[in-house]
Amino acid sequence: MGRLGLPEILVILAVVLLLFGGKKIPELMKGLGSGVKEFKNAAKDDQPADKKEEEVK
């Protein structure tokens, strides 16, 4: 398996556009962005107790 080049990326984008349509893609990206944001917040809140104490000082 090699790296993804420009032709491969264009084919993937075309397939996604055909599957979901132009109106659905912004909604999918919004959902993906909020999911990543929630994951980052959960990861930040899940720090060990020692590290949290150092940040408070």
Side-chain angles (χ1 to χ4, degrees), residues 34-57:
S34 65
V36 169
K37 186 177 178 181
E38 288 179 24
F39 178 77
K40 285 182 180 181
N41 288 339
K44 186 175 21 172
D45 292 342
D46 197 30
Q47 292 178 350
D50 296 336
K51 197 166 191 172
K52 286 183 180 179
E53 289 176 5
E54 290 175 7
E55 289 178 359
V56 171
K57 292 180 183 180

Side-chain angles (χ1 to χ4, degrees), residues 1-5 8:
M1 301 280 300
R3 293 185 174 193
L4 291 178
E8 291 86 4

Side-chain angles (χ1 to χ4, degrees), residues 2-50:
R3 293 185 174 193
L4 291 178
L6 183 61
E8 291 86 4
I9 292 173
L10 291 175
V11 169
I12 292 170
L13 290 175
V15 169
V16 169
L17 185 62
L18 287 173
L19 287 175
F20 297 109
K23 294 183 181 180
K24 191 72 173 174
I25 292 176
E27 294 174 19
L28 291 171
M29 293 298 112
K30 183 179 178 183
L32 181 65
S34 65
V36 169
K37 186 177 178 181
E38 288 179 24
F39 178 77
K40 285 182 180 181
N41 288 339
K44 186 175 21 172
D45 292 342
D46 197 30
Q47 292 178 350
D50 296 336

